[in-house]
Amino acid sequence: MRTKNLWMLAAILICGTMTMLTSCSVNDNSVDIITPEDENVARITETIRYEEKKATVYNIEYPSADPFGNPVTLSGSIIVGDEVDDNGKKATGMVLYNHFTVFQKDECPSHGDVAVPLIVVGSKMIVVAPDYYGFGVTEDKNQAYCISRANAQASVDALIAARELLKEKGYTWDDLLFNAGYSQGGQTSMGVLRLLAEKYPDIKVTHTIAGGGPYDIGETYRQLVSKEESTMPSTVISSVLSYNEYFNLDVDLADVFQEDVVKGIPEYLLSKKYKRSELDGMWVSNKLSDIFLPEMLDFESDLSKTFMEAFEKDNLCKGWMPRKSERIVLVHNELDGCVPYANATNMADFLEKQGFKVDRTETEDRFVDGKVFLCNFELEDGALSPTLGAH
């Protein structure tokens, strides 16, 4: 069962790399559920039936914290396959699914983008999928893009809220808990492990599968500057924007970006009107020199040092002690032009220094002509060989 479920989570990560996901048909009779008015109480806000997929999605709102640590209400979704209901509302376990990079407001789970979590339907696993701060009920706020602490808190709080709400509806589940995500979701998945180690000793994760995550934002930025380009420049811009805002750097954007980029940020990023697949190539060049002013590309400049210091404060490859019971699979493609391959090797090095037994392998990638980094930590059921394409 565990090996089967690990393969299933690997499949979710593979599907997460696709920029074109087919939408699922939804019936028209979505039912709003009457819930408490107290904003500090987790509640189900809407029930949506996916008849074709044989699943029900419960959209939820729950108490959490914003990137500054202030109380806030966030949103997300719970996905329950019919096979769980048919089994007397008994699930095999849960999947905490941390979504990848999105820019349009309708790309978050509670707004209907649940194509990847629906892959799990049929496994008797219940999926919990947070929107993150800046989407769903907080879509009027700038997203906390790649702020791993904020997104991890949103994810853990969604899991806690979902468990409470599911119990109220009569569901039970075994203790399997998979923590998975790709790209920004891969970073969030590792952020979840850090947060659990620091604050939530009673929440035990069975397996974490993290793919293509920017665990070390500083190293990511260094390598992209060295290459002088990114295949997804919108992610680089978004990272700088979010660290500037949520780490209180208060840097004038006119001192960071080229003039055309500054003018385009409100329309192309902050408006949340455009999908991830639409932005890159439509708005900005892949060349970082066309995006940033020279001072941002000079690591000796005060401006560059300001951002690099902020990146280091949220570096997942240092400064915390993972629980020795964690079992982790890292997957990353060496040709990834958005999140450099060094993120996976840096995380592997960090975990090895913490005393983890590391099994590193490389496997040919069927999607692109390159190799995939696969790293297992304390994995009981033997090595897997999932393959992933670059972003």
Side-chain angles (χ1 to χ4, degrees), residues 29 40 42 104 131 146 163 199 230-231 242 305 317 324 330 334 341 351 369:
N29 57 345
N40 293 319
Q104 189 188 62
D131 289 336
C146 283
R163 286 175 166 180
K199 295 175 58 178
S230 168
T231 56
S242 62
K305 289 178 180 178
C317 297
K324 291 300 186 289
L330 295 179
E334 67 173 358
Y341 185 70
L351 291 172
D369 184 18

Side-chain angles (χ1 to χ4, degrees), residues 115-130:
V116 176
L118 283 170
I119 295 171
V120 177
V121 171
S123 68
K124 294 185 182 178
M125 301 285 284
I126 295 173
V127 183
V128 180

Side-chain angles (χ1 to χ4, degrees), residues 44-294:
I44 295 174
T45 58
E46 188 178 25
T47 302
I48 303 174
R49 178 67 185 164
Y50 285 74
E51 193 62 49
E52 181 181 340
K53 295 295 182 179
K54 301 186 183 304
T56 300
V57 173
Y58 300 101
N59 285 338
I60 66 172
E61 293 181 2
Y62 60 92
S64 187
D66 69 12
F68 301 110
N70 301 314
V72 69
T73 296
L74 297 181
S75 54
S77 299
I78 305 170
I79 298 87
V80 182
D82 287 359
E83 78 282 359
V84 176
D85 289 317
D86 295 342
N87 192 44
K89 290 191 171 184
K90 174 67 181 295
T92 302
M94 290 189 177
V95 176
L96 182 58
Y97 171 69
N98 305 295
H99 70 70
F100 45 77
T101 296
V102 300
F103 293 115
Q104 189 188 62
K105 64 181 181 180
D106 290 340
E107 291 182 299
C108 69
S110 73
H111 281 200
D113 196 347
V114 290
V116 176
L118 283 170
I119 295 171
V120 177
V121 171
S123 68
K124 294 185 182 178
M125 301 285 284
I126 295 173
V127 183
V128 180
D131 289 336
Y132 306 155
Y133 185 82
F135 288 98
V137 72
T138 57
E139 67 183 36
D140 61 323
K141 308 298 183 183
N142 295 336
Q143 69 162 309
Y145 185 69
C146 283
I147 307 293
S148 66
R149 283 200 176 275
N151 294 328
Q153 189 68 64
S155 189
V156 171
D157 287 339
L159 175 66
I160 293 170
R163 286 175 166 180
E164 294 173 355
L165 294 168
L166 287 165
K167 284 180 181 178
E168 291 174 4
K169 294 185 71 64
Y171 287 96
T172 60
W173 50 88
D174 292 334
D175 61 359
L176 289 179
L177 174 60
F178 293 94
N179 168 42
Y182 182 77
S183 187
Q184 183 190 14
Q187 183 207 45
T188 303
S189 297
M190 293 306 298
V192 164
L193 292 190
R194 178 176 62 183
L195 184 62
L196 294 181
E198 293 172 346
K199 295 175 58 178
Y200 301 92
D202 294 334
I203 300 179
K204 307 297 183 183
V205 175
T206 308
H207 289 288
T208 291
I209 302 179
Y215 318 114
D216 185 341
I217 294 290
E219 182 62 21
T220 297
Y221 191 71
R222 277 189 291 269
Q223 294 218 9
L224 293 178
V225 170
S226 176
K227 290 172 55 180
E228 300 181 346
E229 67 176 12
S230 168
T231 56
M232 289 181 65
S234 56
T235 63
V236 183
I237 298 170
S238 294
S239 296
V240 171
L241 289 177
S242 62
Y243 276 83
N244 188 42
E245 178 172 357
Y246 296 121
F247 277 79
N248 295 309
L249 303 185
D250 198 28
V251 175
D252 190 333
L253 298 184
D255 294 331
V256 175
F257 299 106
Q258 297 286 353
E259 183 178 358
D260 288 346
V261 176
V262 175
K263 290 180 179 178
I265 286 172
E267 166 66 14
Y268 292 107
L269 287 180
L270 304 186
S271 70
K272 299 192 176 85
K273 294 192 300 186
Y274 298 93
K275 291 183 179 293
R276 180 187 60 168
S277 57
E278 297 172 331
L279 280 177
D280 295 307
M282 175 184 74
W283 171 38
V284 290
S285 164
N286 286 356
K287 295 183 177 180
L288 295 193
S289 59
D290 291 339
I291 298 171
F292 294 106
L293 294 175

